[in-house]
Amino acid sequence: MFLIGFLIKSKKDVMKIYIKNMVCNRCVFVVEEQLKTLNIPFLSVSLGEIDTGDFILSSEQIRRLNTSLKSFGFETLDDKTSQLVEKIKSLLIEYVQQKLTESSKLNISEYLKNKLHYDYNYLSSLFSSISGFTIEHYVIQLKIEKVKELLFYNELTLSEIAFEMGYSSVAHLSNQFKKETGLTPSYFKKLKDVRKRQSLDKL
């Protein structure tokens, strides 16, 4: 289920449409297609938001967009605190989905601080209070789900997966994987049970 939320930002008359639980390229594609179908101009769609630039949607256009997206489980979200938490989640998903061997030049705190321009301690405290778990544990969950995906499709060795996901060693990956799932990566790979994978929007 995807959830959508709207927030009109008055600064320079830029409109941002914030979307809850956008976690994949398919989500981006769905939103882009709906915007095109409704002939609503936009500059870009990324995980967590639509940027319409200097084009301000009318209340009627917002109503039509909401109606169009209801079949996908979208829902209006206007709480600024929740929007910030969802933005954190979207950025962390991006952080994990890219090659961490490239993004590891910045640690999580620096990455979020640079993207959101908030003190990391504030972001961490806010995230924990709203979601019920820490940013660090959320990243671990995201990484484990990505590891499951890579194991399931059997395209990389465990050593390659460990390197791809930024783990210091196979042992480090294996220990964290077992702690989170109760299974070793090798045993999970043998099971090849897709039901043991979670959609990232459920984390």
Side-chain angles (χ1 to χ4, degrees), residues 38-114:
L38 295 171
N39 294 315
I40 295 176
F42 64 96
L43 287 179
S44 62
V45 178
S46 58
L47 290 181
E49 68 182 48
I50 300 168
D51 185 348
T52 65
D54 58 2
F55 181 81
I56 306 300
L57 273 67
S58 67
S59 58
E60 175 61 19
Q61 286 173 316
I62 290 175
R63 185 194 65 77
R64 287 167 51 215
L65 183 58
N66 265 322
T67 300
S68 177
L69 295 175
K70 277 186 178 179
S71 61
F72 299 96
F74 288 75
E75 173 184 304
T76 299
L77 176 70
D78 56 13
D79 178 78
K80 292 182 180 180
T81 300
S82 296
Q83 287 173 356
L84 181 54
V85 169
E86 290 306 317
K87 183 63 176 177
I88 293 171
K89 286 185 177 181
S90 296
L91 288 171
L92 293 176
I93 289 168
E94 288 180 347
Y95 182 89
V96 169
Q97 286 183 335
Q98 62 184 302
K99 287 187 176 182
L100 294 189
T101 51
E102 297 174 0
S103 66
S104 59
K105 294 177 182 178
L106 284 179
N107 60 35
I108 295 169
S109 60
E110 292 173 328
Y111 184 78
L112 291 179
K113 184 178 178 180
N114 290 348

Side-chain angles (χ1 to χ4, degrees), residues 11 26 54 64 70 92 94 118 158-159 162 185 196:
K11 185 178 180 181
R26 182 171 64 87
D54 58 2
R64 287 167 51 215
K70 277 186 178 179
L92 293 176
E94 288 180 347
Y118 282 100
L158 197 54
S159 294
K196 292 187 179 296

Side-chain angles (χ1 to χ4, degrees), residues 144-157:
I144 293 302
E145 290 307 314
K146 184 65 177 179
V147 170
K148 287 180 183 179
E149 177 186 321
L150 295 172
L151 288 170
F152 182 81
Y153 290 111
N154 200 27
E155 295 177 348
L156 300 174
T157 66

Side-chain angles (χ1 to χ4, degrees), residues 85-191:
V85 169
E86 290 306 317
K87 183 63 176 177
I88 293 171
K89 286 185 177 181
S90 296
L91 288 171
L92 293 176
I93 289 168
E94 288 180 347
Y95 182 89
V96 169
Q97 286 183 335
Q98 62 184 302
K99 287 187 176 182
L100 294 189
T101 51
E102 297 174 0
S103 66
S104 59
K105 294 177 182 178
L106 284 179
N107 60 35
I108 295 169
S109 60
E110 292 173 328
Y111 184 78
L112 291 179
K113 184 178 178 180
N114 290 348
K115 292 286 187 178
L116 297 174
H117 308 294
Y118 282 100
D119 179 75
Y120 180 73
N121 289 332
Y122 168 74
L123 294 175
S124 179
S125 177
L126 176 67
F127 188 89
S128 297
S129 66
I130 298 297
S131 66
F133 43 84
T134 65
I135 285 176
E136 289 74 18
H137 190 229
Y138 183 69
V139 170
I140 289 172
Q141 290 178 310
L142 291 175
K143 289 175 71 173
I144 293 302
E145 290 307 314
K146 184 65 177 179
V147 170
K148 287 180 183 179
E149 177 186 321
L150 295 172
L151 288 170
F152 182 81
Y153 290 111
N154 200 27
E155 295 177 348
L156 300 174
T157 66
L158 197 54
S159 294
E160 290 171 332
I161 292 173
F163 179 76
E164 181 83 6
M165 297 306 298
Y167 285 95
S168 59
S169 65
V170 171
H172 182 201
L173 165 59
S174 297
N175 289 337
Q176 194 169 88
F177 191 93
K178 187 170 184 179
K179 182 178 179 180
E180 291 295 314
T181 68
L183 304 171
T184 65
S186 299
Y187 188 67
F188 178 88
K189 189 174 182 178
K190 289 179 182 178
L191 289 178

